[in-house]
Amino acid sequence: MLDLVVRNAKTIDGQKFDLGISDEKIVEIADKITNKSQNELALTDDQYLSPGWIDDHVHCYEKMTLYYDYPDEVGVNRGVTTVIDAGTTGAENIGNFCELVKKAKTNVYALLNISKWGIVEQDELADLTKVQHNAVRDAIEKYPEFIVGLKARMSKTVIGSSGIEPLRLAKEFQSEYGGLPLMVHVGSAPPELSEIMDLMDSGDVLTHCFNGKENGILDRTTHKIKDFVWEGYKKGIVFDIGHGTDSFNFEVAKQALNEGMISSSISSDIYVRNRQNGPVYDLATTMEKLFIVGYSWEEIIKQVTEAPAKNFYLKGKGKLAVGFDADITIFTLKDSEKEVTDSNGNTCTVKQEIIPVKTIIGGQVYDN
């Protein structure tokens, strides 16, 4: 007997099927499931289903004071089944974070900040004595299921006078520990974006890719994407949105798309203040902003499911397929006019909202 059957399932590209779940896994997909089940969930005609949404850039270690939130506030309550905390904690406090998230309904993973205390202060990479080889090694070995990558924040307010050295150290750690995924935060210089991208390799994740800063991807004189950015993009650097309070600009995103450059993954960089006060609010709102830019819903759904699962080696996530985790987001598309704002105060009106209505995590159904 199945634990749950989802009937009248429909994906954004129009595929229709029933979906069967047992022991927290998808075990059957068919036009019509005839096996008996303990529970059934029938979708209405206006509801769609996708793999569970994954937000690969959040800050949800509740004991911090600078950037913090609560996993279920940015996760299951917002239609998101899996979050990756992007470097809030380092080797000294990631163990406590790992214990805290065990009470969450949302699946939670973490990127280890290479600075041992994480983002306790804004300039965590200004003092390189906090970047300790043994501490990084011990944390990775102790929490291999929780830590899915490394994080280095490479912008002026973070590095002080350390220059490009923190990224060199992060790349050394990455190489030593089996090619762990690496996310690199970019912002105001120094260091220059060109220096950062020169050190990054295919598969490395550049977050805040469409920020509106002078040190961003857009040449403010020519209003074109900088040549060296195209070189990095073509060699396989992963472009992640990482909206945040100060890191997404409509003009930059639109110009990139006009030139044929699209993001690889969509993430919110959400924490309590930009969740409550904007401009982020939730992952769905960030997705709507990419729809305004010109992305299709099919592209957008892929960038919050399959893409982050691939980029961070999240086995069993990101697809609706037999054997994969029973993590599912059910949502509607509502024709309406809603004003949204980027990180620089520019406003646009979205003509269609994406609204999560139910979130399934490990086969357990939660209402939104």
Side-chain angles (χ1 to χ4, degrees):
M1 178 178 287
L2 299 173
D3 294 335
L4 173 67
V5 170
V6 180
R7 298 205 181 276
N8 197 35
K10 178 175 63 175
T11 60
I12 197 69
D13 60 0
Q15 299 179 60
K16 297 181 179 180
F17 48 84
D18 286 353
L19 185 147
I21 294 169
S22 278
D23 298 324
E24 302 185 357
K25 299 287 184 181
I26 298 171
V27 295
E28 187 175 358
I29 298 175
D31 291 339
K32 181 72 173 179
I33 291 179
T34 57
N35 287 334
K36 293 182 179 180
S37 64
Q38 295 183 39
N39 297 288
E40 289 198 3
L41 174 63
L43 272 59
T44 58
D45 289 343
D46 65 336
Q47 292 177 340
Y48 297 89
L49 167 152
S50 76
W53 295 352
I54 301 169
D55 193 341
D56 70 25
H57 187 156
V58 309
H59 294 283
C60 64
Y61 178 46
E62 62 193 70
K63 289 191 176 182
M64 286 301 201
T65 56
L66 192 56
Y67 302 118
Y68 73 94
D69 214 318
Y70 306 87
D72 289 339
E73 288 295 331
V74 300
V76 62
N77 295 352
R78 309 282 169 153
V80 176
T81 62
T82 299
V83 298
I84 301 177
D85 183 278
T88 310
T89 55
E92 294 290 346
N93 47 8
I94 199 165
N96 182 254
F97 183 30
C98 184
E99 286 301 312
L100 278 177
V101 301
K102 289 178 180 178
K103 65 185 180 183
K105 302 179 182 78
T106 308
N107 302 306
V108 184
Y109 299 94
L111 303 182
L112 179 71
N113 195 310
I114 63 170
S115 181
K116 66 177 184 175
W117 288 106
I119 315 175
V120 174
E121 297 176 333
Q122 186 67 260
D123 62 346
E124 77 266 16
L125 292 176
D127 178 1
L128 291 184
T129 65
K130 296 177 182 177
V131 183
Q132 298 176 358
H133 178 281
N134 289 344
V136 170
R137 179 198 63 212
D138 291 347
I140 291 171
E141 291 179 355
K142 191 169 184 179
Y143 305 104
E145 301 301 318
F146 185 53
I147 297 172
V148 296
L150 300 168
K151 176 73 179 289
R153 299 202 308 145
M154 298 298 297
S155 60
K156 182 179 180 179
T157 56
V158 179
I159 65 163
S161 60
S162 296
I164 201 70
E165 186 61 19
L167 183 54
R168 293 187 190 280
L169 292 170
K171 291 297 291 181
E172 288 179 10
F173 295 146
Q174 179 190 38
S175 177
E176 184 169 350
Y177 302 117
L180 271 175
L182 170 65
M183 177 181 281
V184 182
H185 151 122
V186 294
S188 298
E192 295 291 335
L193 182 60
S194 56
E195 294 180 89
I196 294 170
M197 294 187 73
D198 278 347
L199 280 181
M200 295 178 71
D201 297 307
S202 177
D204 289 343
V205 179
L206 184 145
T207 194
H208 310 316
C209 64
F210 295 153
N211 73 68
K213 298 172 184 177
E214 187 68 28
N215 194 40
I217 69 170
L218 186 68
D219 187 316
R220 290 295 177 180
T221 301
T222 65
H223 297 285
K224 300 289 185 181
I225 302 302
K226 297 170 182 175
D227 289 342
F228 72 83
V229 173
W230 272 112
E231 292 173 8
Y233 182 80
K234 290 175 180 177
K235 79 177 179 182
I237 292 175
V238 173
F239 279 42
D240 178 69
I241 294 297
H243 187 303
T245 303
D246 198 33
S247 297
F248 178 77
N249 180 275
F250 283 125
E251 178 193 0
V252 175
K254 288 178 179 178
Q255 182 58 36
L257 181 61
N258 289 341
E259 294 187 36
M261 177 182 287
I262 65 171
S263 60
S264 309
S265 54
I266 297 170
S267 62
S268 67
D269 186 18
I270 197 169
Y271 68 105
V272 66
R273 289 190 292 278
N274 66 31
R275 170 171 62 82
Q276 294 177 343
N277 304 321
V280 175
Y281 297 111
D282 51 32
L283 181 61
T285 302
T286 303
M287 294 161 67
E288 290 166 354
K289 292 176 187 180
L290 273 298
F291 185 68
I292 289 173
V293 167
Y295 290 51
S296 68
W297 285 123
E298 289 86 349
E299 290 174 312
I300 290 167
I301 293 299
K302 183 176 181 180
Q303 290 196 26
V304 297
T305 56
E306 183 178 338
K310 176 184 177 183
N311 295 337
F312 292 100
Y313 311 146
L314 302 182
K315 294 179 180 179
K317 301 194 183 299
K319 292 183 180 181
L320 296 174
V322 171
F324 276 65
D325 294 345
D327 294 344
I328 296 164
T329 301
I330 298 167
F331 60 93
T332 60
L333 296 175
K334 178 184 177 183
D335 293 331
S336 64
E337 292 197 354
K338 171 185 171 183
E339 187 175 85
V340 292
T341 306
D342 70 10
S343 297
N344 300 113
N346 305 300
T347 60
C348 287
T349 300
V350 63
K351 302 294 186 180
Q352 199 170 47
E353 296 179 65
I354 188 165
I355 303 171
V357 294
K358 291 184 186 295
T359 307
I360 302 175
I361 300 178
Q364 181 67 45
V365 182
Y366 302 96
D367 291 326
N368 293 120

